[in-house]
Amino acid sequence: SILHRDTKPGNDLVTAEGQLKLIDFGIAKALDVTDSDLTQDAAPMTPRYAAPEQLRGERPTTASDQWQLGALAYEVLTGQIARQSADAPIVAPSRCRFAPDVAAARGLDPAALSRRLRGDLDAIIMKALRNAPLDRYAGVAEFAAELRDWLAGRPVAARASERWYALRKFAATHRWAVGFATLALLALIAATAVSITAERHAREEA
């Protein structure tokens, strides 16, 4: 495995076929825990896209590359840089102030873009951009799987701790089924109420 350590827009190319190409492995290092030269405190980096631990001069890991991918995803979605300065907190994607031209480039107006990002995408991106490496996804494969779940309309792990989230997600994904089930339940309740009332009247008449 290899740590790229400098994933940023300038190092990512997309072919005409839509295939992503990662370039510039000038500061990449082989992922070998026995290699004392895996990283240096003063290793070259692009501060704007460097993971928090890189800025702190700590040893980068695959979680560092994942943070950079999260920053790249943030910029693709919002048109804005995730971290405006080294000490500035990262704002959730949906809370960005979108310029009309940025939203228009995504086929939406600013309010609609904010709504589209709110919820699952907010949670996914913000988990990838957490300050502590261990609080992020276990690996890029897990990050990618989370995005595939979002695309498929399935619940995402980043919101698993939220109360009633899975139920709300199921209801939103299966609106018609939930609607028919609700109608059937209401009909059953109504039928039961009518039956009980009729039985009571029959007893009173007897």
Side-chain angles (χ1 to χ4, degrees):
S1 298
I2 294 177
L3 291 178
H4 188 278
R5 303 198 300 179
D6 197 26
T7 303
K8 58 185 179 181
N11 287 340
D12 294 277
L13 302 177
V14 181
T15 67
E17 294 75 26
Q19 189 175 29
L20 181 66
K21 299 287 187 180
L22 184 61
I23 64 172
D24 192 358
F25 285 78
I27 64 171
K29 288 290 184 179
L31 185 58
D32 182 355
V33 295
T34 64
D35 182 2
S36 60
D37 295 327
L38 180 63
T39 182
Q40 301 291 336
D41 290 347
M45 69 178 77
T46 304
R48 181 176 292 180
Y49 296 100
E53 58 271 20
Q54 289 178 280
L55 295 179
R56 295 191 295 263
E58 298 171 4
R59 187 185 186 91
T61 65
T62 52
S64 307
D65 277 2
Q66 184 207 133
W67 191 96
Q68 293 177 347
L69 287 174
L72 185 63
Y74 188 107
E75 194 164 341
V76 168
L77 291 170
T78 68
Q80 300 181 33
I81 299 168
R83 184 177 54 217
Q84 298 299 322
S85 64
D87 56 351
I90 297 176
V91 177
S94 67
R95 295 177 58 193
C96 291
R97 295 184 178 180
F98 303 105
D101 59 327
V102 170
R106 290 151 179 76
L108 301 165
D109 58 59
L113 178 56
S114 178
R115 288 193 300 272
R116 187 70 62 86
L117 298 176
R118 189 178 303 132
D120 288 356
L121 276 178
D122 267 348
I124 292 171
I125 300 303
M126 294 304 284
K127 180 171 181 177
L129 293 175
R130 287 179 182 172
N131 189 59
L134 292 178
D135 290 339
R136 300 170 200 156
Y137 290 102
V140 174
E142 186 176 310
F143 185 16
E146 188 87 307
L147 290 171
R148 283 194 291 269
D149 283 342
W150 171 75
L151 287 170
R154 294 188 291 266
V156 298
R159 300 184 67 188
S161 62
E162 295 182 28
R163 192 175 185 181
W164 307 114
Y165 166 70
L167 182 60
R168 294 197 308 270
K169 188 69 175 181
F170 179 86
T173 307
H174 304 84
R175 290 187 181 89
W176 288 106
V178 172
F180 283 125
T182 301
L183 288 176
L185 180 59
L186 290 175
L188 179 60
I189 292 172
T192 302
V194 169
S195 177
I196 292 173
T197 301
E199 183 179 354
R200 182 181 302 146
H201 286 325
R203 285 201 305 269
E204 290 174 353
E205 291 178 359

